[in-house]
Structure formats: C-alpha cells, structure tokens
Amino acid sequence: MELRHIKYFLKLAEELSFVRAAEKLFISQPPLSRQIKELETEIGAQLFERNNKRVILTEAGKFYEKEMLEVLKNIERINIKTRKISENQSGEFRIAYVSSTFSGDISALIQYLSQQFPYVNFRLYEVPTVKQIKALEEFKIDLGIVRAPLYSPKIETQLWFKDNFSLVFNKNLYPIQFEQEIETLSETTFVFFNKEYSPQYYDNLLEICAHFGFAPKVVHESNNISSIIQLVKNGLGVSIVPTTILKSHNYPEIGYIEIQSVKLFTDILLATPKGHQSEIAKTAIEFLKKK
C-alpha cells in the first residue's frame, strides 16, 4: 500500500463518483478504478458498492475512511514537526537562564525535550538578564528564562510564575523566627548581588529593608545565587532572595522567613525572539507552564 492509494480512496469517498474524483485528482478514470481495486485486494475488504448508477461506501469503507482521515492528519502533524526541527540548522536548541531561576523544573525540562526531540542537542547556559536580551535579539539563544522587567520590541515573553521574597540566614547564628524580627538586622552584614549586575534585585532589597526601617549593609557580593546561598550557609551574612530559590538550596543550616508584609513580587518570564518561536520552544513553554 502506498500513500497515493489512501489519497485516491479518500477523494472517491468524498465525491462518490469516479468521474468527479478522477477530475479532482487530475488522472483519468481507469487508473483510479485500478488503484481502488488494488487497495481493496490488499486489505481484503470491499470498500465501495458501485454500479452504473451510483457509488456508495460499504460499512467497511465508512470505517476505513474515518481511520484514514486520522492517519493523514497524523502524517501532516509529523511532517510539520519534522520540518520545524530541521529549520534549526545548527542542530542545537539553546536555553539560557539567570542563576536565581534555576530549579528542578529546568532540569526536568531538558530531560523532557531530549525525549521529545532525540536528534536535537540541547545546550543550557547561565546568562544574566541583560546579556540574555542581547542574545535573544541576535538569535544566539532560542529560549530565555529571565526575571522581569524585560523591554525589547524584538522579544516575545510569557509569564511563567510570580515569585515573592524571603529572608535567608544561618539558623545557628541568627535564631530568627518571625518576619518582624527583620528590623533587628540593621547592623547585620548582607550578602547580595552586585548592583551593576542586577539593578532590579538591588532595588528590591533596598525597598524591603526600607520597609523594616533600615538600609542594608551589603558587604559581600556575588553574581551567582548559589554562591550567595553558600556565603549565607557559612555564616558570612544574611540575604533576601526569591522564595523559589530555596527549593533547590535546601540545607539543614539554612533558615528562611517568607516576607509577606511587603507586597513585592518578581515575574519570571519565558522569552523567545519575536516571530521566531520554534516548535521546540512552544513545547518547552507548554511544559514549564504546567509546572
């Protein structure tokens, strides 16, 4: 059986006329009749009742039409998906994230995509938001996971989720139990991102500390969230970080208090080059938004 047999059968099932079906298929009637007969012989079933006056589908023909329509839909879906994968000429799909967004969900995403697209190499990069914006605009990465704000007419974004903030500290050195106790940290060393590296985060830190009546003494700085958590874990200060970070940095020495009195959130965005969202990017975004 060849694909043309299926197409000829479906056209005849639609027209219920050898003459009209042959015209639509741009062939003469005898080859069409021969192809249908070959198909019926191969599958061992009569698909049409025909005489000089009419052509109708048998019950077997009605079932075969329904099933073959689904088969052709699947073939078209597979062809489209294959073509879109092929459009990624480098054979790579590049995903960037900022360190403060990394979690088990991103690891699960890479595993899922590798299963769905086994012939594509997936590359994962830790890249700050400012550099991600430039890379997305220049098509150097295919999917960015960033924290808002992101302003660029060349980039499309979707909200993944909203994150609030938590105080994180070494429980052995800072026996803090309640949010109100944050106001006692005015003389405490803070560990945080460099202001130039992450100005939005830095402003968030200042706003939260101002709510509790002081300006933070930022002594130790790092541009990597894991390093910040390690410094806090080792007792070199406290920090205020997005709450979801703590899911992937769960240490027995670390305590945290979610800050609820300050209605301050940070949006995690899924970003793609505008007008160039691939099938893989759509699959990745759908996967993450279900998490």
Side-chain angles (χ1 to χ4, degrees), residues 155-175:
I155 298 173
E156 294 178 348
T157 62
Q158 296 186 44
L159 177 66
W160 183 10
F161 64 91
K162 287 182 173 290
D163 202 359
N164 61 356
F165 292 90
S166 289
L167 174 76
V168 59
F169 52 93
N170 184 306
K171 292 188 291 187
N172 300 320
L173 299 176
Y174 303 94

Side-chain angles (χ1 to χ4, degrees), residues 10-26:
L10 289 174
K11 182 55 66 177
L12 181 57
E14 178 185 351
E15 298 293 337
L16 294 178
S17 164
F18 278 91
V19 173
R20 291 196 300 272
E23 288 176 352
K24 295 287 180 66
L25 293 167
F26 302 103

